[in-house]
């Protein structure tokens, strides 16, 4: 690692390239309240505010880019942006491929939304978004899993009666229950760890920088304020 | 776990036979090939059935579009226009929406599943495309053939069955082969955007996507998927080539050859 | 946009709609139509160029070149375009960066592949990490155009390959009788005559290209379907001034109209071009 930094520095000197401290932040932009596109057409949400604050503390210039969820990790390791800040739970599988900063939210439980409170989850048809940890969980549990391409469709499936319930992050379901007769079941599932920023494994410096910035926000309580403001999870 | 065991467990996973859970860690090439291959069952199911049923509707549409009677011609024209003029992506969206509404009203409740609903969309889609190809071929049936039929006193339904229709098929065949290839490719859209996947029983792209998502490496599963489709395409070309030979068996040797180089009117 | 839009909650009817339809997000939606159109108009000639090269090499005298051309046509045609789009852009991007790495950083000693990471020297990055966002977007757009062109180039190559063989042998023989060289016959007779035979196939290909644009979001371009989904989805009052339910149907209806109109106009133009090309040719159905 040290060697890499040295050679980078040497190269920067010889080539006379001034490395600007621009960090490109990759997000999805379709996952309110974590990240979404607001009326003005810009990235907004909990992670937008958090990311901007972290960059300010770390004295970095940050640029926001949106990328489709399915290819968000391949594009990071390929170098198209430098961090993933997209409500991504820290899991072992992901951790093998990329590195995570320390979590900036505690684990957010997954919840069920249904049209009535008395759905028996185990014997029911459960909707989930394709290739999410929730989809894997339902498959494991043995309920009838029905997968849709987008979160919007999973909720629509419950409304139309195609599925009995939808399993998704509680913070996401909070934004839909209460409309069209959707209610949240009492049963919750603890799947996945806290949410952290993803960085390339070779990018130790950047990880350390953001780790320090997150720590400072944890210490002065501003992180908890943000979490409460956007209702994304419980506080630390 | 040896590859043979994997094949036993997963070769029929896409239709619900074998292991209930998909592999979750230590993914091997064998697993990827087996499961993606298993998904091909659905691609072949959608493609083959849609072609078979679509073929007959297409013949009807081509005649409708060629008809003098506007009550036959206009509907055929509009049907072909709407299905050829819009992306399959959007057709799936509307179809699923419609089938869901029908289900809520209590009619034909089985159409919301991909196996039935998406098949209907693909049938209508390929019928429109093939209908246009057949219509073009119908227009190019040599006048001399018809005159000869008249001279022999062959008219009406017999003339159509014995002369017009076979000649139309013969002329349309190269383009129709292309349409078949495209249709098989289009089947990958079914679960990708459109219809939900039940119990992780998806098509080849669904499983390729699954592995790409789990291994974070798109460079293995998608090329495997590509390999399967190249094989499928070769199979389709071979099968249609045999049928082409049969359609052209009455022609003199050198004219048979020339037919293959007719500028292809693909999709 | 309009002055009265400052407090959307008080609005109703047409005034609400006029504000709703002019939010920044909607402006992005409208711009994406421009993006898609521009992309189509750049992709078409590029794909044509790929197709021409492919067709030329598929009928080359030198065997390896011929094999290469034929392999390009049959492999790319055999694979569904989605499967291609899902991994090809990243491969293309890495390929470019690798080439630049070899050219610009010969002294670089660290491996490019470190575990899963793909690391080239900072000079070789495309675009440079210091470049502004619009450069990144233009580069992404360029990659999308290139990927589309490679895929549709294979189909175009197939059509042109057929068209070149469809040009009547007699015309070529006449040219040779006049003492034209092989090269001259190719460029002065075969290529100009080929278009008439290629046009129906190429016209269809253009239609397929139009209808493949909903897959653009896989290539990182925010196309019209992406925005239609984004705008049409149910949106909670917490995140917008214009909350609404599931309106995807209306947005997709608008897209349907757009696609139908666009393909219809294309059809008419292609038919006209076809008539012109057939003019004076010695075939059935040619205009006098």
């Amino acid at each position: 690692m040290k060697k890499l930094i040295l050679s980078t520095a040497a190269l920067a000197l010889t080539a006379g390239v001034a490395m600007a401290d621009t960090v490109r932040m990759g997000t999805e932009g379709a996952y309110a309240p974590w990240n979404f596109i607001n009326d003005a057409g810009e990235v907004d949400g909990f992670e937008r505010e958090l990311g901007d604050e972290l960059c300010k503390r770390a004295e970095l210039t940050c640029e926001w880019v949106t990328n489709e969820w399915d290819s968000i990790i391949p594009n990071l390791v390929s170098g198209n942006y430098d961090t993933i800040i997209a409500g991504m739970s820290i899991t072992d599988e992901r951790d093998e491929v990329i590195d995570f900063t320390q979590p900036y939210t505690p684990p957010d439980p997954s919840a069920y939304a249904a049209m009535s409170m008395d759905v028996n989850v185990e014997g029911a048809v459960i909707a989930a978004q394709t290739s999410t940890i929730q989809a894997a969980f339902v498959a494991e549990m043995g309920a009838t899993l029905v997968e849709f391409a987008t979160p919007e469709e999973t909720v629509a499936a419950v409304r139309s009666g195609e599925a009995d319930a939808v399993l998704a992050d509680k913070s996401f379901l909070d934004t839909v229950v209460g409309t069209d007769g959707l209610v949240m079941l009492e049963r919750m599932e603890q799947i996945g760890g806290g949410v952290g920023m993803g960085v390339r494994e070779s990018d130790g410096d950047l990880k350390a920088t953001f780790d320090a910035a997150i720590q400072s926000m944890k210490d002065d309580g501003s992180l908890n304020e943000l979490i409460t403001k956007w209702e994304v999870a419980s506080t630390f | 776990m040896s590859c043979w065991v994997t094949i036993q467990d997963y070769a029929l996973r896409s239709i619900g036979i074998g292991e209930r859970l998909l592999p979750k860690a230590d993914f091997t090439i064998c697993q990827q090939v087996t499961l993606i291959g298993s998904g091909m069952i659905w691609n072949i199911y959608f493609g083959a059935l849609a072609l078979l049923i679509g073929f007959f509707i297409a013949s009807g549409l081509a005649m409708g579009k060629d008809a003098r009677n506007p009550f036959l011609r206009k509907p055929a024209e509009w049907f072909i226009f709407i299905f050829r003029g819009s992306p399959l992506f959007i057709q799936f969206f509307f179809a699923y929406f419609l089938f869901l509404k029908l289900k809520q009203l209590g009619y034909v409740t089985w159409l919301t599943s991909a196996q039935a609903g998406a098949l209907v969309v693909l049938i209508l889609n390929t019928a429109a495309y093939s209908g246009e190809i057949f219509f073009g071929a119908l227009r190019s049936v040599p006048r001399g053939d018809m005159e000869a039929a008249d001279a022999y006193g062959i008219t009406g339904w017999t003339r159509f069955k014995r002369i017009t229709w076979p000649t139309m098929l013969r002329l349309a065949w190269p383009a129709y082969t292309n349409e078949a290839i495209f249709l098989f490719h289009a089947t990958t859209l079914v679960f990708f955007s459109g219809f939900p996947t039940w119990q992780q029983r998806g098509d080849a792209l669904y499983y390729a996507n699954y592995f790409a998502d789990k291994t974070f490496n798109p460079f293995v599963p998608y090329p495997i998927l590509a390999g399967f489709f190249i094989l499928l395409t070769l199979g389709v070309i071979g099968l249609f080539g045999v049928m082409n030979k049969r359609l052209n068996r009455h022609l003199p040797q050198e004219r048979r050859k020339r037919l293959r180089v007719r500028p292809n009117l693909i999709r | 946009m309009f002055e009265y839009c400052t407090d959307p909650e008080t609005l109703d009817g047409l005034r609400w709609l006029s504000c709703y339809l002019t939010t920044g997000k909607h402006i992005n939606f409208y711009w994406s139509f421009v993006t898609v159109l521009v992309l189509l108009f750049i992709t078409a000639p590029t794909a044509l160029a790929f197709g021409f090269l492919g067709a030329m090499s598929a009928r080359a005298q030198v065997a390896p070149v011929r094999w290469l051309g034929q392999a390009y046509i049959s492999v790319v045609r055999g694979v569904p375009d989605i499967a291609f789009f899902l991994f090809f852009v990243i491969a293309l991007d890495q390929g470019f960066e690798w080439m630049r790495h070899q050219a610009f950083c010969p002294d670089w000693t660290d491996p490019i592949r470190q575990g899963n990471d793909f690391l080239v020297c900072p000079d070789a990055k495309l675009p440079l990490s210091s470049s502004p966002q619009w450069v990144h977007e233009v580069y992404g757009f360029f990659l999308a155009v290139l990927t589309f062109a490679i895929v549709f180039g294979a189909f175009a190559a197939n059509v042109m390959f057929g068209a070149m063989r469809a040009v009547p042998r007699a015309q070529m023989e006449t040219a040779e009788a006049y003492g034209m060289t092989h090269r001259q016959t190719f460029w002065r007779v075969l290529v100009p005559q080929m278009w008439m035979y290629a046009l129906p196939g190429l016209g269809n290909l253009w239609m397929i290209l139009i209808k493949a644009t909903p897959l653009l979001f896989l290539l990182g371009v925010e196309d019209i379907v992406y925005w239609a989904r984004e705008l049409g989805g149910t949106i909670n009052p917490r995140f917008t001034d214009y909350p609404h339910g599931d309106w995807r149907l209306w947005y997709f209806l608008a897209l349907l109209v757009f696609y139908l109109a666009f393909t219809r106009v294309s059809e008419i133009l292609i038919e006209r071009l076809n008539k012109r090309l057939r003019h004076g040719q010695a075939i059935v159905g040619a205009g006098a």
Side-chain angles (χ1 to χ4, degrees):
Chain A
M1 196 59 236
K2 199 170 178 187
K3 193 172 142 218
L4 180 77
I5 301 164
L6 277 176
S7 51
T8 316
L11 197 103
L13 279 176
T14 48
V17 177
M19 288 293 291
D21 280 327
T22 308
V23 174
R24 290 167 55 76
M25 316 274 268
T27 192
E28 190 197 4
Y31 196 58
W34 297 79
N35 54 73
F36 59 94
I37 310 289
N38 64 15
D39 287 338
E42 288 155 357
V43 177
D44 202 342
F46 165 70
E47 283 170 327
R48 171 70 200 249
E49 224 175 295
L50 171 76
D52 284 346
E53 178 64 25
L54 290 175
C55 290
K56 204 169 95 193
R57 291 187 186 213
E59 293 175 351
L60 298 165
T61 324
C62 288
E63 199 130 27
W64 289 87
V65 281
T66 50
N67 194 92
E68 195 225 337
W69 177 257
D70 279 345
S71 64
I72 207 162
I73 289 183
N75 271 306
L76 174 79
V77 295
S78 178
N80 292 341
Y81 34 79
D82 306 301
T83 68
I84 295 173
I85 173 162
M88 186 178 270
S89 300
I90 304 173
T91 64
D92 290 342
E93 294 93 35
R94 287 175 182 147
D95 213 4
E96 272 175 30
V97 182
I98 57 174
D99 267 353
F100 283 100
T101 62
Q102 60 165 305
Y104 49 74
T105 65
D108 176 29
S110 297
Y112 298 92
M115 296 301 278
S116 88
M117 287 300 279
D118 42 49
V119 171
N120 174 23
V121 169
E122 261 119 26
V125 176
I126 309 285
Q129 190 184 356
T130 314
S131 62
T132 52
I133 48 176
Q134 283 86 9
F137 181 85
V138 177
E140 191 101 344
M141 184 171 73
T144 306
L145 167 67
V146 48
E147 288 169 286
F148 290 85
T150 60
E152 172 79 30
E153 286 164 292
T154 60
V155 180
V158 178
R159 281 202 205 99
S160 69
E162 271 295 88
D164 301 321
V166 45
L167 179 65
D169 285 329
K170 182 172 173 299
S171 56
F172 167 72
L173 289 181
D174 273 333
T175 67
V176 295
V177 292
T179 58
D180 305 324
L182 280 168
V183 289
M184 196 177 286
L185 302 187
E186 270 164 30
R187 177 169 171 165
M188 305 264 170
E189 313 288 355
Q190 274 304 340
I191 341 171
V195 170
M197 267 166 95
V199 293
R200 278 182 295 275
E201 284 186 325
S202 51
D203 239 353
D205 282 356
L206 195 64
K207 174 169 148 42
T209 313
F210 277 116
D211 263 339
I214 293 170
Q215 193 56 47
S216 88
M217 283 187 73
K218 273 184 182 170
D219 291 344
D220 67 11
S222 52
L223 185 56
N224 278 342
E225 272 172 39
L226 267 188
I227 292 174
T228 321
K229 176 184 167 193
W230 287 99
E231 299 172 26
V232 288
S234 53
T235 53
F236 280 101
Chain B
M1 192 162 74
S2 81
C3 193
W4 177 238
V5 179
T6 307
I7 292 175
Q8 282 181 324
D9 285 350
Y10 288 119
L12 295 175
R13 176 61 179 80
S14 65
I15 49 173
I17 301 171
E19 275 294 296
R20 190 172 62 83
L21 295 176
L22 299 184
K24 274 186 309 194
D26 310 318
F27 305 98
T28 61
I29 297 284
C30 177
Q31 285 174 339
Q32 306 203 14
V33 172
T34 309
L35 262 173
I36 294 171
S38 163
M40 289 300 288
I41 295 173
W42 286 120
N43 295 96
I44 294 171
Y45 160 87
F46 284 125
L49 274 185
L51 270 180
L52 196 71
I53 304 171
F55 176 81
F56 294 102
I57 306 179
S59 304
L61 280 171
M63 284 189 289
K65 199 172 171 177
D66 199 40
R68 278 178 191 278
N69 185 347
F71 288 103
L72 285 175
R73 197 179 65 232
K74 283 288 160 194
E77 277 177 355
W78 273 96
F79 181 88
I80 291 178
F81 170 59
I82 286 179
F83 276 93
R84 283 185 79 228
S86 60
L88 186 58
F89 204 86
I90 290 181
Q91 291 168 19
F92 274 138
F93 173 84
F94 280 110
Y96 187 66
F97 188 86
L98 179 75
F99 295 155
L100 215 52
K101 274 274 162 324
L102 283 176
K103 187 176 182 176
Q104 281 164 346
L105 294 173
Y107 307 107
V108 279
T109 50
W110 39 271
L111 275 174
T112 51
S113 78
Q115 284 73 19
L119 183 63
V120 169
V121 179
L122 286 168
I123 288 171
L124 297 180
N125 188 280
T126 189
Y129 279 104
S130 321
E132 180 70 20
I133 293 173
F134 290 167
F135 170 71
L138 211 52
R139 283 268 156 121
S140 1
V141 171
R143 191 164 271 279
D145 290 16
M146 311 303 271
E147 280 163 4
D150 286 341
Y152 276 103
I154 309 174
T155 49
W157 175 244
T158 326
R159 187 179 76 171
F160 177 79
K161 200 176 68 181
R162 304 272 300 271
I163 318 270
T164 320
W165 199 65
T167 314
M168 172 196 91
L169 271 191
R170 189 167 58 80
L171 293 177
W173 208 254
Y176 190 58
T177 310
N178 268 323
E179 161 58 21
I181 297 173
F182 268 111
L183 181 70
F184 275 103
H185 289 184
T187 57
T188 50
L189 263 180
V190 171
F191 294 107
F192 189 71
S193 77
F195 285 77
T197 321
W198 287 79
Q199 298 286 48
Q200 300 181 311
R201 292 173 200 167
D203 73 335
L205 184 66
Y206 172 84
Y207 291 115
N209 221 331
Y210 176 85
F211 284 113
D213 180 69
K214 290 287 178 291
T215 60
F216 308 103
N217 181 2
F219 297 121
V220 177
Y222 294 127
I224 292 176
L225 174 73
F228 272 117
F229 265 96
I230 289 171
L231 288 181
L232 180 63
T233 308
L234 288 178
V236 170
I237 291 174
L239 198 68
F240 275 67
V242 170
M243 291 195 249
N244 189 43
K245 260 207 189 115
R246 195 176 153 70
L247 284 171
N248 289 317
R249 68 190 183 282
H250 60 289
L251 292 179
Q253 202 65 37
E254 92 271 22
R255 269 191 68 196
R256 272 188 224 178
K257 258 188 195 153
R258 207 181 304 153
L259 265 170
R260 308 193 108 218
V261 295
R262 285 180 72 89
N264 284 351
L265 215 136
I266 59 171
R267 251 177 120 144
Chain C
M1 194 76 176
F2 305 108
E3 278 171 32
Y4 54 80
C5 289
T6 43
D7 193 9
E9 270 171 49
T10 59
L11 299 172
D12 51 12
L14 276 181
R15 277 164 85 91
W16 185 88
L17 200 63
S18 69
C19 289
Y20 172 68
L21 289 177
T22 51
T23 57
K25 211 169 171 179
H26 275 87
I27 303 294
N28 285 350
F29 177 47
Y30 307 139
W31 269 112
S32 67
F33 281 88
V34 179
T35 314
V36 166
L37 290 178
V38 170
L39 185 126
L40 279 173
F41 287 116
I42 299 176
T43 307
T46 322
L48 217 52
F50 272 97
F52 193 72
L53 285 178
M56 250 171 72
S57 56
R59 60 199 302 285
Q61 309 281 337
V62 193
V65 178
R66 192 170 60 236
W67 293 334
L68 202 71
Q70 286 169 346
Y72 166 59
I73 295 177
S74 47
V75 168
V76 177
R77 276 183 76 223
V79 179
D81 43 8
I82 314 177
F84 227 85
F85 295 159
L86 281 168
F87 73 95
F88 199 66
V89 183
I90 298 180
L92 213 55
D93 180 40
Q94 291 190 351
F96 284 139
E97 290 190 348
W98 184 83
M99 280 191 279
R100 280 168 60 98
H101 182 87
Q102 303 298 324
F104 296 156
C105 312
D107 306 328
W108 194 261
T109 50
D110 291 301
I112 293 183
R113 287 226 163 264
Q114 293 181 16
N116 297 293
D117 295 3
F118 179 86
L119 295 168
V120 291
C121 64
D123 275 356
K125 281 216 79 67
L126 257 182
L128 295 174
S129 50
S130 54
S131 3
Q133 178 59 20
W134 68 267
V135 178
H136 284 274
E137 273 168 26
V138 169
Y139 178 68
F141 184 82
F142 160 78
L143 281 184
V145 168
L146 196 59
T147 315
F148 257 67
I150 288 173
V151 171
F152 286 91
F155 289 98
N158 185 46
V159 171
M160 282 194 252
F161 183 74
M164 283 177 185
R165 286 171 59 177
V167 173
R169 186 80 201 112
Q171 296 190 6
M172 310 287 287
E173 279 163 5
T174 313
E176 276 157 20
Y178 273 101
M180 287 194 191
T181 61
H182 190 74
R183 180 180 291 259
Q184 279 174 326
T185 330
F186 181 77
W187 286 107
R188 296 191 190 171
V189 180
L190 187 66
V191 173
Q193 289 295 86
M194 165 197 86
W195 293 111
M196 182 192 74
Y197 297 97
L199 192 73
L202 291 179
N204 274 299
L205 206 50
W206 166 250
M207 308 285 232
I208 301 173
L209 184 64
I210 295 173
K211 282 169 280 172
T213 50
L215 296 178
L216 271 176
F217 79 100
L218 294 179
L219 304 180
V221 175
E222 288 169 354
D223 71 314
I224 46 184
V225 177
Y226 167 87
W227 282 111
R229 273 186 165 174
E230 179 68 37
L231 286 162
T234 312
I235 188 155
N236 185 286
R238 264 169 70 198
F239 310 119
T240 178
D241 292 333
Y242 306 91
H244 60 73
D246 189 352
W247 283 4
R248 284 177 302 165
L249 185 68
W250 307 113
Y251 283 91
F252 276 84
L253 214 52
L255 291 191
L256 183 70
V257 171
F258 167 75
Y259 276 113
L260 287 178
F262 194 27
T263 45
R264 184 76 197 126
V265 169
S266 303
E267 225 169 39
I268 292 169
L269 290 180
I270 290 168
E271 187 44 44
R272 276 199 196 159
L273 194 63
N274 206 2
K275 276 220 177 91
R276 180 176 295 183
L277 280 179
R278 279 163 166 258
H279 191 83
Q281 293 279 1
I283 52 158
V284 189

